[in-house]
Amino acid sequence: MRLRLDPFTLNLDTRQLTRDSREIHLAPKAFDLLATLIAARPKVVSKAVLQQELWPDTFVAEANLSNLVAEVRAALDDDPRTPQFVRTAHGVGYAFCGETVVMPEAPAGVDRPPCCLEWGRLRFPLALGDHVIGRDPDVEVRLDAPTVSRRHARLRVTDEGAVLEDFGSKNGTHRGDDRVTSPVRLADGDAIRIGSVLITFRLFESVASTQTQAP
């Protein structure tokens, strides 16, 4: 299950907290604490219950729980004086006070949104997150051509779509005839020129998924 805690996304199945497709680290116990509070929302969960949930049959100092709450608040940029997500019920425990929206599940085997880059017969499937385009062997989308910089551009895929950004490359990045000087949103079929290399942005709904392969 994925929950939207604007501007965050919490994936209970993969145990990931993300913001703008960037994963925010949470220790396992801190993730469990956040999930427990969300499951009980908007009710207050007592400190005793939380300690039993997080450290079953083990005695721990109350400071351990306070430290986990602080970690969750730091991850969510939450101010305990004016909480948007985690509220303290003084002398009792804690409650999740933010709004949550259950997000629809993607079809099996398909990332959200399902998209790729095409270069000739090659296809680069793009999952959620950042994908650096360039000539460097370590980048996600490698275009081995002399007019392509080692780290030429970046394509960021989020739940809302895909955005292309140039990294100040020598030979430039173009969408169609327009040079990319600031982040631009992509649409299915957009022609992208990386240096002199022409690639195409595609949604997987528009291509046969059985032939996807990265070099």
Side-chain angles (χ1 to χ4, degrees):
M1 177 186 292
R2 293 192 308 156
L3 299 172
R4 184 68 176 170
L5 327 171
D6 198 32
F8 303 94
T9 299
L10 184 71
N11 192 319
L12 297 176
D13 297 324
T14 63
R15 295 178 62 86
Q16 291 177 298
L17 175 68
T18 57
R19 180 174 186 172
D20 297 328
S21 300
R22 294 180 180 274
E23 185 170 357
I24 300 171
H25 174 74
L26 274 179
K29 292 290 186 186
F31 188 95
D32 292 340
L33 170 63
L34 178 58
T36 299
L37 293 177
I38 288 176
R41 66 191 188 281
K43 296 180 179 179
V44 175
V45 184
S46 70
K47 295 178 182 179
V49 169
L50 289 173
Q51 288 177 327
Q52 180 60 32
E53 287 282 339
L54 299 171
W55 299 279
D57 303 319
T58 303
F59 175 79
V60 295
E62 188 174 315
N64 289 22
L65 179 58
S66 299
N67 290 338
L68 285 185
V69 172
E71 181 179 346
V72 169
R73 282 173 168 157
L76 297 174
D77 292 332
D78 204 18
D79 187 342
R81 293 168 296 184
T82 56
Q84 298 183 55
F85 297 107
V86 179
R87 177 176 65 86
T88 300
H90 295 284
V92 181
Y94 302 93
F96 188 86
C97 58
E99 293 186 5
T100 61
V101 177
V102 178
M103 302 177 66
E105 297 297 325
V110 179
D111 288 318
R112 182 181 299 274
C115 56
C116 69
L117 289 175
E118 293 181 341
W119 181 29
R121 298 179 62 184
L122 294 176
R123 289 187 181 139
F124 301 85
L126 304 174
L128 291 176
D130 289 353
H131 305 272
V132 176
I133 306 170
R135 189 163 39 89
D136 194 292
D138 294 329
V139 301
E140 290 79 10
V141 180
R142 188 185 183 208
L143 305 177
D144 192 7
T147 60
V148 177
S149 301
R150 296 182 66 86
R151 296 175 64 86
H152 195 108
R154 175 176 64 192
L155 199 154
R156 172 172 292 177
V157 181
T158 71
D159 289 320
E160 290 75 34
V163 174
L164 179 66
E165 178 183 5
D166 184 70
F167 274 169
S169 60
K170 178 180 178 181
N171 294 311
T173 300
H174 292 74
R175 182 190 61 176
D177 295 328
D178 300 324
R179 182 158 185 163
V180 175
T181 57
S182 60
V184 295
R185 189 170 295 276
L186 298 178
D188 179 47
D190 274 350
I192 302 169
R193 188 154 46 86
I194 305 294
S196 61
V197 175
L198 183 64
I199 59 179
T200 305
F201 175 78
R202 302 291 290 178
L203 297 175
F204 271 138
E205 286 90 342
S206 305
V207 297
S209 60
T210 55
Q211 297 180 357
T212 57
Q213 180 179 356

